[in-house]
């Protein structure tokens, strides 16, 4: 036997759907999955006209965090690499994410990203550049991915140095007299 239920919420239009009783729990879960809060579900038996209102409170358990696609990347000095950043839940408004290098003389990165209520769950690309230097040392630098009110994510960047050590002579030959 098919039954009908109607959801009534103060800030939403009435919604109706027909479901079989064993499917009721799953259908209600799907109906309230996107938004938290309190509402009433009216269960109505179409054949007998009996109705029952059931109070329902849905806990919204989504947490707004920064998600990075990699926690470590490698880049050659003078080269580029990339990783992605996205939010784990829809923000209430546009959210700006800053990317800061602990050593901008060794590694630079895309300075900021902007996430809206429409693109929050799509990875945006951060381009990392290994800065040219004159030493022979490889560098390891932390990039801080941050936004106001959210925990900071860290991406560790290792640079491979492209410099070589060699003797440089000012002349091709040298004459020395005996004596």
């Amino acid at each position: 036997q098919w039954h009908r239920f109607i959801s009534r919420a103060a800030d939403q239009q009435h919604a109706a759907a027909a479901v079989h009783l064993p499917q009721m729990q799953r259908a209600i879960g799907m109906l309230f999955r996107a938004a938290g809060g309190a509402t009433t579900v009216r269960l109505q038996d179409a054949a007998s006209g009996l109705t029952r209102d059931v109070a329902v409170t849905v806990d919204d358990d989504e947490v707004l965090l920064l998600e990075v696609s990699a926690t470590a990347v490698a880049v050659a000095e003078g080269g580029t690499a990339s990783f992605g950043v996205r939010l784990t839940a829809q923000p209430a408004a546009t959210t700006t994410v800053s990317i800061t290098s602990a050593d901008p003389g060794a590694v630079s990165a895309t300075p900021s990203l902007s996430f809206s209520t429409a693109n929050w769950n799509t990875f945006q690309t951060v381009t990392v550049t290994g800065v040219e230097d004159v030493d022979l040392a490889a560098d390891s630098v932390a990039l801080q991915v941050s936004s106001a009110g959210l925990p900071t994510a860290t991406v560790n960047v290792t640079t491979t140095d492209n410099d070589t050590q060699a003797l440089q002579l000012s002349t091709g030959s040298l004459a020395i007299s005996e004596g």
Side-chain angles (χ1 to χ4, degrees):
Q1 179 176 337
W2 289 91
H3 295 268
R4 183 173 29 152
F5 71 92
I6 299 173
S7 165
R8 294 181 310 185
D11 61 340
Q12 297 178 355
Q13 294 180 348
H14 290 34
V19 295
H20 194 264
L21 275 179
Q23 297 172 329
M24 184 68 72
Q25 182 178 8
R26 187 179 73 193
I28 291 172
M30 291 182 342
L31 178 68
F32 294 106
R33 182 175 177 206
T39 191
T40 301
V41 175
R42 173 169 283 173
L43 303 174
Q44 182 176 10
D45 182 339
S48 68
L50 294 174
T51 62
R52 174 175 289 301
D53 289 342
V54 178
V56 177
T57 301
V58 178
D59 292 327
D60 186 358
D61 62 354
E62 294 177 329
V63 178
L64 183 58
L65 298 170
L66 297 168
E67 180 181 353
V68 294
S69 62
T71 57
V73 294
V75 62
E77 195 174 86
T80 62
S82 64
F83 65 92
V85 176
R86 70 178 176 185
L87 303 178
T88 60
Q90 185 175 11
T94 298
T95 301
T96 300
V97 175
S98 299
I99 298 90
T100 308
S101 174
D103 183 357
V107 173
S108 65
T110 304
S112 66
L113 304 170
S114 183
F115 292 93
S116 68
T117 56
N119 72 352
W120 61 272
N121 61 347
T122 301
F123 278 110
Q124 291 187 36
T125 302
V126 174
T127 301
V128 178
T129 302
V131 177
E132 291 281 359
D133 61 21
V134 295
D135 65 29
L136 299 174
D139 296 299
S140 183
V141 177
L143 291 179
Q144 300 298 312
V145 181
S146 62
S147 185
L150 300 178
T152 299
T154 300
V155 175
N156 295 305
V157 180
T158 303
T159 63
T160 305
D161 202 286
N162 63 358
D163 298 312
T164 58
Q165 187 172 19
L167 291 175
Q168 191 169 22
L169 303 175
S170 59
T171 182
S173 65
L174 181 60
I176 301 177
S177 29
E178 261 185 74

